[in-house]
Amino acid sequence: MVKNLKIYCALFLCFCFITIGESSEVEEVFHWKEVIFEDLPFADDTLIGPYPYNIPSSNDVQGINYHAASGLMIATVGRLRPGVPSNLNAFCTSDYDEGTSPHLWGFPNYARNTLKASFYNQGRRLNSLRKNYYPSYFNHIYADYIREHDYTIVSVYYPHIDERCNRLFVLDTGYLHYSPTQNYDVQNPALLVYDLPLNGCRSRNFPLIRRVEIPNHLWTFKMGLDFISFDYQPKGSCEDLIVYISNVLDNSLVVYDYKRGDFWTFADESMKPILSESILFFKTFTYFIPLGITNVVLGYPDKNGDRNLYYSPGSSVTEYIVSTKLLKDKKASYKYNREDFTLIGYRGCGSEAYRQVFDPETGVIFFGESNSHRISCWNTRLPFNPDTIGVVFESDLLLFPSELFLDSEGFLWFLTNQLPLMFNSADILDTTEINSRLFRVKASEAVKGTICDNLY
């Protein structure tokens, strides 16, 4: 496959023309030089274990998502270096003008986000009861678990808002990766679900709905548990939900039946990175970083409620599909036909996409391309190849498109930040320059003038 990909890239490198949309519609909504936290409970130089509580050069907005119904913006500050006082945070968009730098406050509060000195003792806090795992096990013990166990939000990378049922889903890896030699395995990875009330900006009260640990036998590298996609079943209840969790380091897709409380996983060869596409270019740095399957997106449902699930390894220019009918069958995870995971095409050379999102209004998938400084698009009604890929935004300001999502009002949001620098180098974050920028554009406007424009 790698050999064929190289030939394909050579053929299209000089002869592929890409249409660029009306990028003037894109607006920069917020930006941050230094992340400022509102009313921190401790002084910056307070020691938590061996590290100061707040080191400004360690803080960069990594993930972000918007709850349009309440005006609440959820933002993560990745714990990729010591001195991050609060990992999961929020602010209210009505409190800030466009072009400003909102202050963050801990979500659901600072107490849940504050690390403990004991976390740096290099001990794994594994729950021995996990050996008794069975389907619906976590549902049965959930209430007692929350009453009897304290929990801390250790390391969340991306927030995922379920606007249909007003909930926030986050994956806490439980792992602190400060550098290649500073790593702390704190606790099991867990899926946390919070209620997002419509008056959340005023009340700042966000009840925890569920906290479930990801079974040990489903992961090897828990730091790779990053992205979530929601698949509501035909009954339409908030409980009738299948959650797809991608692991970019294990090259696997974890499936979680929210109603039954059951987990299983698929690990197909197509989910692995392509080594020749694993070079990341960022500013003056070049990194070799093989990333497997990143976030997955779901197409339109058929009459049975099944969908095409589109996915790509982060270190690849390929795109694949598989039916959710297969993924929802736990028995199929033990034995399936490899041909069910189908290669549909290539985006083109240098188009490695870390993020993607499907817009049901236009039938278009948008991609955040990590090496090309652009947001591209593809209309799912067309074949998938470089000639059918359009570009809706391209700018040197788009250093690294870490985040890409759609809200219920039809806006496409994307965040650029310094993630490659924070994760792969020892360089200090320069807080005198803008490090992260949040953009938005109406999805329907973004595709105008490109090949992705509606085809009915």
Side-chain angles (χ1 to χ4, degrees):
M1 181 183 295
V2 172
K3 180 179 179 181
N4 292 338
L5 181 61
K6 288 180 178 178
I7 295 173
Y8 189 93
C9 288
L11 289 173
F12 280 95
L13 187 61
C14 297
F15 303 106
C16 176
F17 297 93
I18 299 175
T19 58
I20 300 179
E22 300 170 2
S23 60
S24 60
E25 299 290 342
V26 175
E27 56 182 334
E28 182 180 313
V29 185
F30 301 117
H31 63 256
W32 291 268
K33 294 181 179 179
E34 176 182 344
V35 175
I36 297 177
F37 295 92
E38 175 185 303
D39 298 326
L40 285 174
F42 303 106
D44 288 357
D45 58 358
T46 302
L47 290 181
I48 306 293
Y51 303 108
Y53 176 63
N54 182 23
I55 303 173
S57 62
S58 292
N59 293 277
D60 189 26
V61 178
Q62 178 177 338
I64 206 160
N65 214 305
Y66 182 52
H67 187 229
S70 66
L72 189 73
M73 191 76 76
I74 304 293
T76 63
V77 177
R79 280 189 163 130
L80 298 174
R81 297 185 182 183
V84 177
S86 184
N87 174 212
L88 185 60
N89 308 280
F91 65 90
C92 296
T93 56
S94 61
D95 293 340
Y96 297 93
D97 295 329
E98 290 188 13
T100 60
S101 304
H103 295 188
L104 309 184
W105 39 268
F107 181 101
N109 51 53
Y110 283 122
R112 288 299 184 195
N113 279 276
T114 301
L115 299 178
K116 301 176 181 178
S118 60
F119 292 171
Y120 298 104
N121 293 332
Q122 291 287 13
R124 295 189 64 168
R125 297 168 53 205
L126 296 178
N127 183 353
S128 61
L129 293 177
R130 290 281 317 257
K131 297 177 182 178
N132 301 321
Y133 170 77
Y134 54 86
S136 78
Y137 167 75
F138 290 113
N139 286 0
H140 289 173
I141 72 163
Y142 170 73
D144 290 338
Y145 180 88
I146 293 300
R147 281 195 296 267
E148 297 174 8
H149 295 76
D150 189 14
Y151 75 94
T152 299
I153 297 171
V154 175
S155 188
V156 170
Y157 293 115
Y158 296 98
H160 303 271
I161 290 178
D162 169 19
E163 291 201 89
R164 177 169 175 171
C165 293
N166 298 310
R167 299 180 292 192
L168 169 68
F169 286 67
V170 294
L171 288 164
D172 185 354
T173 68
Y175 190 83
L176 297 172
H177 176 84
Y178 290 160
S179 74
T181 59
Q182 293 174 291
N183 298 286
Y184 302 92
D185 197 349
V186 177
Q187 62 190 23
N188 282 327
L191 173 67
L192 292 84
V193 185
Y194 291 93
D195 182 39
L196 294 179
L198 299 186
N199 67 344
C201 275
R202 295 192 303 272
S203 69
R204 294 198 184 184
N205 180 28
F206 307 98
L208 179 68
I209 299 173
R210 181 176 299 193
R211 182 184 186 275
V212 294
E213 295 182 356
I214 312 298
N216 292 355
H217 65 280
L218 297 184
W219 51 267
T220 300
F221 300 105
K222 59 185 180 178
M223 190 177 174
L225 293 164
D226 286 340
F227 304 114
I228 294 171
S229 293
F230 305 117
D231 185 9
Y232 278 101
Q233 301 309 291
K235 290 183 180 180
S237 164
C238 290
E239 296 294 307
D240 294 309
L241 174 66
I242 302 295
V243 180
Y244 302 106
I245 302 170
S246 54
N247 190 321
V248 303
L249 299 181
D250 282 352
N251 313 318
S252 66
L253 187 67
V254 177
V255 183
Y256 176 51
D257 187 323
Y258 190 88
K259 188 173 186 177
R260 295 180 59 238
D262 196 8
F263 289 90
W264 58 94
T265 189
F266 286 84
D268 187 73
E269 288 293 315
S270 61
M271 299 176 186
K272 294 182 178 181
I274 295 176
L275 297 184
S276 63
E277 300 292 332
S278 297
I279 305 297
L280 176 63
F281 303 98
F282 183 77
K283 293 184 174 180
T284 59
F285 302 97
T286 301
Y287 303 106
F288 177 78
I289 181 165
L291 297 174
I293 181 172
T294 55
N295 67 308
V296 302
V297 297
L298 301 173
Y300 296 114
D302 62 19
K303 62 181 180 179
N304 298 315
D306 298 320
R307 305 168 184 264
N308 278 334
L309 181 144
Y310 299 84
Y311 67 97
S312 174
S315 298
S316 169
V317 300
T318 56
E319 189 76 10
Y320 295 86
I321 59 170
V322 61
S323 173
T324 59
K325 181 179 180 180
L326 173 73
L327 299 177
K328 290 183 289 187
D329 182 359
K330 183 176 182 178
K331 293 181 180 178
S333 66
Y334 303 111
K335 186 177 181 180
Y336 60 86
N337 187 339
R338 286 284 308 280
E339 294 180 356
D340 290 328
F341 293 82
T342 306
L343 174 68
I344 61 172
Y346 304 88
R347 272 183 305 277
C349 295
S351 65
E352 296 87 350
Y354 186 61
R355 303 303 307 271
Q356 56 182 326
V357 63
F358 176 74
D359 177 23
E361 295 300 318
T362 60
V364 168
I365 294 179
F366 296 94
F367 304 93
E369 298 184 8
S370 52
N371 277 335
S372 64
H373 309 294
R374 69 189 185 192
I375 305 298
S376 61
C377 62
W378 169 64
N379 194 309
T380 55
R381 300 172 180 85
L382 295 174
F384 192 96
N385 60 59
D387 290 330
T388 60
I389 302 297
V391 175
V392 302
F393 182 71
E394 186 170 23
S395 171
D396 289 339
L397 296 178
L398 199 64
L399 292 175
F400 182 81
S402 173
E403 187 68 275
L404 183 72
F405 67 92
L406 281 154
D407 68 23
S408 59
E409 296 178 339
F411 281 99
L412 174 70
W413 297 77
F414 44 99
L415 175 77
T416 178
N417 58 22
Q418 304 279 347
L419 176 60
L421 180 145
M422 300 294 286
F423 185 79
N424 294 289
S425 80
D427 286 13
I428 302 298
L429 192 68
D430 185 351
T431 57
T432 67
E433 297 182 352
I434 294 177
N435 290 300
S436 50
R437 301 173 189 266
L438 180 62
F439 301 91
R440 75 171 182 177
V441 61
K442 275 283 189 178
S444 57
E445 294 293 324
V447 298
K448 287 184 177 179
T450 76
I451 196 170
C452 308
D453 210 348
N454 283 336
L455 301 173
Y456 292 105

